[in-house]
Amino acid sequence: QAMSEMRHVAMDSLAILIESGNHFVPTQGLALLDKTIFTPARTIELNAEQAKQFVAGSSIATSPMRLDPSSGKSGVAGWTVATWDGKPLGWCKALSNRLNNHLPPWARLHVG
């Protein structure tokens, strides 16, 4: 019971969207939520090299057709959670030829 109370308190204080001009941007916290709480409409599974580029803050050259077909949104551009080994890394915006990285600067890793 204590764990459910802690989760509930954390959920009450978790920002899930940030207003930016005339639109909203999903937060890193939303991307990392447990699937029992939030399931993104679109995900894309990155390979090890792409995941390394993503956590360093780089955009990823790819085709939106690789988006998770189980979501029913395959090939559609928009907000997508990048995953590696089935685990969420953060948000990206799928475009026609790349994934624009929206990983916050504080969450990026220096990888060599």
Side-chain angles (χ1 to χ4, degrees), residues 51-58 89 103-112:
K52 188 175 176 181
Q53 292 172 6
F54 185 84
V55 299
S58 299
L89 299 175
L103 194 64
W106 56 262
R108 296 177 184 177
L109 301 176
H110 298 284
V111 290

Side-chain angles (χ1 to χ4, degrees), residues 1-3 6 9-10 14 16 27 32 38 44 49 57 66-67 73 88 92 108:
Q1 185 176 11
M3 274 303 273
M6 287 171 53
V9 170
L14 177 67
I16 58 172
T27 66
L32 301 180
F38 170 74
I44 184 165
E49 185 57 36
R66 291 192 52 232
L67 294 174
K73 305 268 185 174
C92 57
R108 296 177 184 177

Side-chain angles (χ1 to χ4, degrees), residues 31-47:
L32 301 180
L33 281 176
D34 187 89
K35 288 182 181 180
T36 61
I37 299 170
F38 170 74
T39 303
R42 288 185 287 272
T43 62
I44 184 165
E45 180 70 18
L46 304 179
N47 63 36

